[in-house]
Amino acid sequence: MKILVIRLSSMGDIILTTPVLRCIKQQVEQAVVHCLVKSPFVSLLSRSPYVDQVISYDESRNFLKQLRAEQYDFVVDLQNNYRSHLLWRQLRCKHSVVNKEDWARMWLVLTKRNHIKQASVVDRYMKAAAPLGVVNDGKPLDLFYEPQTDGPDVQQRPYVAIACGAQHGTKRIPLKYLQFLIGSIQGTIVLLGDNQDRYRIADGSVHLNRRVVNMCGKTSLTELMQWVDRATVVIAGDTGIMHMAAALQKDLIVLWGSTTPLFGFAPYGVEAYNSEVMLDCRPCSRMGKEKCPKQHLRCFEGHPWQQIVNYVNSKLEQAQPKLDTE
């Protein structure tokens, strides 16, 4: 049976599809699994043993012709937007579509009352695959990559990886708290993010001491996986790197800002330290905003920053190689 799974973006959402891809491949007899994603995210799935082909999304007419030539038996639409609807309508085969519970999430934003039925987005994805006879195997997320044997020297010693940025401002670690972490953590710190995070750190005059390795904007997606994988602890907001760390079973601290784990995007399949500040104004949006609507960003102000630093320092100290004194 030839099956196309559509999840075009983004990084975290695609990583959250991995249990579904695994279950389809293992539970559907003679399943041939193709997955359609946007081109920047192909490497997230390219080495998965549960995906026979990763297809890079293209809006051209010729691309649609190529998809028709595959003659899919079933399409699982985990994107559920006008682009994905157009695709399965044109492919003219059996399909199922994920219920993203957008109205329930919006209701939670507007009224602070939770009517979301599926605790995790992975459960929503699994329900979309249910017509294939697929059930959740209860296992965690998957992430496969080819490690570099000659990685930087810093990867050979304990370090904390900090995901500096996020697409939306109210999910980013504020610079003053990033500076506090840098000044208080007693060990090597690796900053992860994109070029915008590098500019933000430079423009905000964040002092980077000699223990800080700023990799923002310097890694490919595969290199990013390796940096996360070799970290002793990962600190992140509600971002794709958070889901990457969960897939790699890392010791993970999640700093929630304007969004909430109730939306279904909490770290899946791993025991994480989820830090939330309970406020009447949270959550203020489904996906985050560029600026705090209340102009105070108390959702980050109230995190136990010193407690977080103490936890990280203890983990780094435990991970230090013991010197042979004999």
Side-chain angles (χ1 to χ4, degrees):
M1 187 176 193
K2 202 168 191 179
I3 301 162
L4 176 66
V5 179
I6 302 173
R7 180 68 246 198
L8 304 178
S9 63
S10 55
M11 182 169 75
D13 297 305
I14 293 169
I15 293 172
L16 287 165
T17 69
T18 57
V20 181
L21 298 170
R22 178 182 65 240
C23 290
I24 291 174
K25 187 64 176 176
Q26 293 182 337
Q27 297 175 23
V28 178
E29 187 175 357
Q30 297 183 333
V32 176
V33 181
H34 291 187
C35 195
L36 181 62
V37 302
K38 288 186 176 179
S39 58
F41 309 114
V42 167
S43 58
L44 287 172
L45 301 175
S46 60
R47 300 192 66 84
S48 172
Y50 309 116
V51 180
D52 296 284
Q53 185 176 345
V54 186
I55 303 171
S56 177
Y57 175 68
D58 185 342
E59 294 188 355
S60 69
R61 290 184 178 180
N62 189 49
F63 173 71
L64 189 57
K65 184 179 179 180
Q66 292 171 359
L67 279 185
R68 284 203 196 101
E70 295 287 349
Q71 296 183 333
Y72 293 109
D73 299 298
F74 200 95
V75 174
V76 181
D77 179 5
L78 302 182
Q79 186 74 38
N80 192 3
N81 65 8
Y82 75 94
R83 288 187 180 91
S84 62
H85 290 191
L86 179 63
L87 285 170
W88 50 254
R89 282 175 180 149
Q90 293 290 330
L91 293 175
R92 297 176 184 174
C93 62
K94 293 181 180 179
H95 63 272
S96 62
V97 183
V98 67
N99 177 6
K100 295 193 288 188
E101 299 200 62
D102 283 341
W103 286 108
R105 286 193 287 161
M106 183 57 71
W107 186 253
L108 179 55
V109 170
L110 295 174
T111 69
K112 315 309 176 194
R113 296 177 181 177
N114 184 21
H115 293 285
I116 297 172
K117 296 178 181 179
Q118 302 292 334
S120 170
V121 70
V122 174
D123 296 324
R124 295 173 208 160
Y125 290 168
M126 285 290 180
K127 192 171 182 180
L132 294 168
V134 170
V135 295
N136 196 338
D137 60 10
K139 295 178 182 179
L141 306 174
D142 292 317
L143 204 56
F144 302 92
Y145 71 98
E146 183 66 33
Q148 297 179 358
T149 56
D150 58 343
D153 290 341
V154 69
Q155 291 185 345
Q156 311 309 318
R157 60 179 186 266
Y159 62 88
V160 55
I162 303 178
C164 301
Q167 185 175 356
H168 302 283
T170 56
K171 298 201 292 187
R172 296 182 199 126
I173 299 174
L175 291 181
K176 68 175 181 178
Y177 292 116
L178 181 61
Q179 185 70 79
F180 175 77
L181 292 173
I182 289 170
S184 304
I185 291 173
Q186 301 301 309
T188 303
I189 300 165
V190 175
L191 305 181
L192 300 176
D194 59 18
N195 277 322
Q196 293 302 316
D197 298 314
R198 176 172 286 275
Y199 299 146
R200 188 169 66 97
I201 290 168
D203 293 344
S205 301
V206 176
H207 174 64
L208 305 182
N209 58 45
R210 60 185 178 84
R211 292 180 288 103
V212 178
V213 180
N214 186 3
M215 295 303 299
C216 292
K218 292 185 174 182
T219 64
S220 66
L221 196 50
T222 300
E223 290 168 342
L224 179 62
M225 291 185 234
Q226 181 161 310
W227 278 106
V228 171
D229 197 13
R230 296 192 178 183
T232 302
V233 185
V234 178
I235 301 174
D238 178 11
T239 68
I241 291 179
M242 177 259 282
H243 295 298
M244 182 179 288
L248 294 168
Q249 297 288 291
K250 303 309 298 180
D251 196 333
L252 176 60
I253 299 170
V254 185
L255 304 172
W256 293 89
S258 62
T259 56
T260 170
L262 293 175
F263 287 154
F265 294 90
Y268 185 83
V270 65
E271 290 187 11
Y273 176 179
N274 286 285
S275 181
E276 278 190 277
V277 182
M278 299 305 174
L279 299 168
D280 291 341
C281 55
R282 283 188 68 245
C284 65
S285 72
R286 290 183 300 135
M287 295 179 288
K289 295 177 177 290
E290 188 53 38
K291 293 184 179 180
C292 171
K294 300 286 187 180
Q295 304 300 316
H296 56 56
L297 207 61
R298 288 177 188 160
C299 51
F300 275 104
E301 296 279 348
H303 287 304
W305 293 101
Q306 187 58 55
Q307 182 178 327
I308 290 166
V309 165
N310 294 343
Y311 178 83
V312 171
N313 284 339
S314 68
K315 290 294 182 179
L316 292 177
E317 184 177 358
Q318 292 170 21
Q320 289 290 348
K322 304 300 181 184
L323 295 177
D324 187 358
T325 57
E326 295 183 1

